Amino acid sequence: MLARVEETLRSSGAESPAVEAWWILEAATKRNRAALMLEPKVTAEEERCCELLAGRRAAGEPLQYVTEVAGFRRLQIAVGPGVFIPRPETELVAERAMDRLPEGGRLVDVGTGSGAIALAIADERPDATVFGTEPAAPAFTWAQKNRDRLGAPVELVRCDLLDGLPPALRGSFDVVVANPPYIDRMHAEALPPEIVDHEPHQALFAPERGLDVVIRLADSALAWLKPQGWLVLEIGSDQTQRVRTLLGAAGYDHVAVMPDLAGNDRIAEGQRP
């Protein structure tokens, strides 16, 4: 079965057919690689499921949607159509947010999507109080599913930015973190088809050359942050100077931009005075 899946993927032009074939086989059989190597025989139903999943991948659907899982830091996050797939570079955004989060602090992940950032922080910082907000119904459902499956103490609120949080929490957050949509729609043609044809555009693209959500969040977060609290954002590598300028103009101190592991500017931060 593994060889057949691999051949299907190779015929479709997949870059890593051997690796992806294993992931698809694991997803179809609900068994890990070690178990499959000990007992490679699959049932007729598992074989049909393998063929279905391999066909979806060969047609260009993201592998994470096909297998319904994306690794994020120490967690396995469930994903599928309707939610943005968390990327490795965003793991550094979560890490930076944790660096800025004091012991026993309070954090909100804005536009949480699958819940990846919020859930990772709740997992690694059990001392913290963690919230997540998300406006899109499909993504919010995935966040709830992940929160419940992991048993994570994360309070999820369906709202735009910070608008639905309890008013009593204004001025109480140590960190506001977000991986907002930051791609200019004019650049859509430069993206791989498996991204632009499948992932929700609301999580990818934003007006104002990709900075509309960043601008609105930078303004609104000030009222929700404690004095000396931090706003931590993922940004596009070509947005460094514009984000520095807008955070400074919004009133943040100690504005800085840091690179990802590939050396591209990726994480912006600013501190409420």
Side-chain angles (χ1 to χ4, degrees), residues 109 179 240 257:
D109 173 23
N179 175 18
T240 301
V257 175

Side-chain angles (χ1 to χ4, degrees), residues 105-130:
R106 178 178 285 142
L107 171 147
V108 57
D109 173 23
V110 178
T112 194
S114 64
I117 292 176
L119 294 168
I121 292 173
D123 172 59
E124 296 178 44
R125 289 288 304 273
D127 60 287
T129 300
V130 181

